[in-house]
């Protein structure tokens, strides 16, 4: 599998709303290297990318389970917990769920992650570079 880097940003809900409105008004154009996935806090990102969930991703990559039942047996996690976690990860583009006949097969989409956040939402950074204009 090719490595896919998922660019993640941390931004407050208020600043995310400002950013989205600025984009809609044409006042701000996102750069190609900017994150496409945003979390409200490091804590919310850590819930999705916890050690347990990273181990789950590694298990999927290594064992290539053909169904959620196989993954459940490989991890020892309950089917409801597994389904909920995988749905959340799919929403962020980390995994995708492929329907194969009557089974759902999880496939890892992102293997590497970069995280970007700044203390300066509306201002210039101390190093002279512009922070994301929101």
């Amino acid at each position: 599998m090719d490595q896919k880097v998922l660019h993640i940003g941390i931004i407050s809900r208020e600043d995310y709303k400002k950013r989205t409105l600025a984009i809609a008004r044409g006042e701000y154009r996102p750069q190609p290297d900017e994150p496409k996935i945003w979390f409200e806090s490091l804590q919310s990102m850590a819930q999705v990318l916890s050690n347990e969930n990273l181990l789950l991703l590694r298990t999927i990559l290594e064992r290539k389970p053909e169904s959620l039942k196989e993954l459940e047996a490989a991890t020892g996690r309950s089917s409801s917990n597994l389904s909920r976690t995988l749905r959340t990860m799919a929403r962020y583009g980390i995994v995708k769920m492929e329907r194969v006949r009557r089974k759902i097969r999880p496939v890892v989409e992102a293997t590497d992650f970069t995280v970007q956040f700044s203390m300066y939402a509306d201002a210039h950074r101390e190093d002279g570079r512009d922070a994301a204009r929101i």
Side-chain angles (χ1 to χ4, degrees):
M1 172 186 165
D2 292 332
Q3 289 184 334
K4 178 183 174 191
V5 177
L6 186 62
H7 300 285
I8 298 170
I10 308 293
I11 192 171
S12 71
R13 184 178 303 263
E14 180 182 317
D15 285 342
Y16 183 78
K17 187 175 179 179
K18 287 179 189 176
R19 179 183 187 277
T20 303
L21 291 173
I23 292 168
R25 289 189 301 262
E27 297 169 358
Y28 178 69
R29 186 175 189 161
Q31 301 302 306
D33 61 340
E34 282 186 30
K36 304 288 185 270
I37 305 297
W38 295 93
F39 287 95
E40 192 172 344
S41 67
L42 286 170
Q43 291 84 1
S44 60
M45 181 191 71
Q47 288 175 340
V48 175
L49 295 175
S50 67
N51 288 339
E52 183 180 26
N53 289 344
L54 292 176
L55 181 59
L56 174 64
L57 293 175
R58 181 168 292 149
T59 301
I60 295 168
L61 281 169
E62 291 173 356
R63 296 201 181 194
K64 298 177 180 32
E66 291 298 319
S67 68
L68 293 181
K69 198 106 167 127
E70 274 185 42
L71 185 58
E72 185 180 338
T75 62
R77 290 172 73 162
S78 71
S79 60
S80 62
N81 174 281
L82 205 50
S83 293
R84 184 176 49 253
T85 299
L86 291 171
R87 273 195 311 273
T88 299
M89 290 178 148
R91 207 171 55 239
Y92 288 110
I94 299 168
V95 298
K96 70 177 176 182
M97 306 302 282
E98 290 183 345
R99 184 169 288 283
V100 180
R101 296 181 197 101
R102 292 184 167 200
K103 297 178 182 178
I104 305 266
R105 178 173 62 130
V107 177
V108 174
E109 288 285 288
T111 57
D112 294 273
F113 306 90
T114 63
V115 180
Q116 174 182 332
F117 61 98
S118 174
M119 298 294 297
Y120 307 100
D122 292 326
H124 297 287
R125 296 177 1 173
E126 289 178 13
D127 62 8
R129 298 185 323 184
D130 285 338
R133 290 184 186 90
I134 299 172

